[in-house]
Amino acid sequence: MVMNMKRYENIIVIILAVMAIAPPSSGINSLNVQGNDDALWYVPLYTNRANEIYPGYWTNLGGIMTSDPDATSLTDYEDFLFIRGTDNALWYKTSYYPIAPQGDWSKWISLGGIITSAPATASYGSEYVIVFARGNDGALWYRIFVQDNNYWYDWMSLGGQIKGGPGATISHFDNSIYVAVRGLDDSILIRKLNMETGLWSNWINMEGKTNYDPDIAELDGKIFIFTRGTDDALWYIIYKNNSYVISYWNSLGGIITSSPGAATID
């Protein structure tokens, strides 16, 4: 993969492919993709003096993926990469900068469960990682990692019935993790976990119809939700953190053949 990218302050990058973007907590972005050998491949993205982003070398991280990957970073530079394995369990591996670009990664570790979608993950500060997936009962399930004691909480269910896989993001504006899903009626719903109180909001219906998985990103206190529309164009809606929608669904046009992925670059 060859990419020509320029880095700007506070932008949302939308990737229309099977890949995951690790946020630049270390000053280094990364792309993580599924190779034609079904292994996970990783490439760091560096910034030069002209603020242009250029790729490093591709590294084969092994494993056999049966879903798209997702990735997040803690602010102490540790990457978490998640996939669904051939046993339908959730698997992950971690790295630690600045070693990781040279290929020093943990072994693949199973978090168990039986998941029926690709995972979606987000991190909160340097303390917490949360990962979501659809369970074999059709509900949304999640696990939380606590950095202080290197501990994973067991699987917890948010209930409901969803189609496909979720999208997740962090909002520092209201200290919450947001997750977006597609309901059985093909509408997009979001829910947030307040990381200070530990309380979940109710489901909020964004209306609209889609046959594809959503993804979600935060920018300046606004939650951007993206999906592929029934016309195969890219669509988005904006949700404000204080619980109201500040835009209708808007088309970005194009003809896309995948669900989108979104990330914010600070």
Side-chain angles (χ1 to χ4, degrees):
M1 177 181 296
V2 178
M3 300 190 65
N4 264 322
M5 299 176 62
K6 287 191 176 181
R7 182 172 178 173
Y8 302 93
E9 291 301 314
N10 296 322
I11 62 172
I12 289 180
V13 176
I14 308 164
I15 303 294
L16 304 175
V18 181
M19 63 178 62
I21 306 171
S25 61
S26 62
I28 303 175
N29 293 278
S30 66
L31 293 180
N32 308 277
V33 303
Q34 183 176 13
N36 56 14
D37 57 357
D38 290 328
L40 181 65
W41 288 75
Y42 162 95
V43 60
L45 300 176
Y46 301 98
T47 305
N48 62 22
R49 292 181 179 178
N51 277 337
E52 296 174 336
I53 294 178
Y54 64 96
Y57 294 102
W58 285 98
T59 299
N60 187 340
L61 298 182
I64 301 178
M65 302 164 54
T66 60
S67 75
D68 298 352
D70 205 10
T72 194
S73 295
L74 294 175
T75 55
D76 59 0
Y77 312 135
E78 187 175 10
D79 272 357
F80 284 71
L81 305 180
F82 295 92
I83 63 170
R84 184 181 66 186
T86 55
D87 58 355
N88 292 323
L90 178 66
W91 290 75
Y92 81 102
K93 65 168 44 189
T94 62
S95 70
Y96 195 87
Y97 289 111
I99 301 172
Q102 283 71 52
D104 192 357
W105 293 80
S106 73
K107 296 179 179 179
W108 284 106
I109 302 167
S110 176
L111 290 176
I114 300 176
I115 62 174
T116 57
S117 76
T121 185
S123 58
Y124 179 73
S126 60
E127 297 300 321
Y128 301 100
V129 171
I130 185 168
V131 58
F132 300 91
R134 181 180 184 265
N136 64 352
D137 60 353
L140 181 65
W141 290 74
Y142 70 99
R143 292 192 72 168
I144 293 179
F145 173 77
V146 182
Q147 176 79 318
D148 276 352
N149 51 11
N150 196 38
Y151 179 75
W152 279 99
Y153 284 96
D154 202 359
W155 285 102
M156 291 173 276
S157 176
L158 286 175
Q161 291 289 293
I162 66 172
K163 291 182 177 180
T169 194
I170 174 66
S171 171
H172 294 289
F173 184 85
D174 62 353
N175 300 310
S176 295
I177 298 286
Y178 282 77
V179 60
V181 300
R182 178 164 57 107
L184 293 184
D185 62 354
D186 292 325
S187 63
I188 301 296
L189 301 104
I190 64 171
R191 198 171 180 182
K192 71 175 182 179
L193 170 63
N194 187 301
M195 298 301 293
E196 293 183 339
T197 66
L199 298 178
W200 282 96
S201 72
N202 294 322
W203 287 107
I204 303 166
N205 195 326
M206 296 289 100
E207 307 298 341
K209 296 292 181 181
T210 181
N211 296 322
Y212 303 94
D213 297 346
D215 205 6
I216 188 170
E218 186 267 351
L219 181 65
D220 295 334
K222 302 178 182 69
I223 305 299
F224 287 73
I225 304 156
F226 298 91
T227 193
R228 176 182 170 187
T230 55
D231 59 354
D232 292 329
L234 178 65
W235 289 75
Y236 76 97
I237 193 171
I238 303 173
Y239 175 81
K240 186 69 174 176
N241 293 5
N242 57 0
S243 302
Y244 65 91
V245 175
I246 61 174
S247 82
Y248 297 104
W249 282 101
N250 296 280
S251 175
L252 292 175
I255 299 176
I256 64 176
T257 58
S258 72
S259 298
T264 304
I265 297 179
D266 295 323

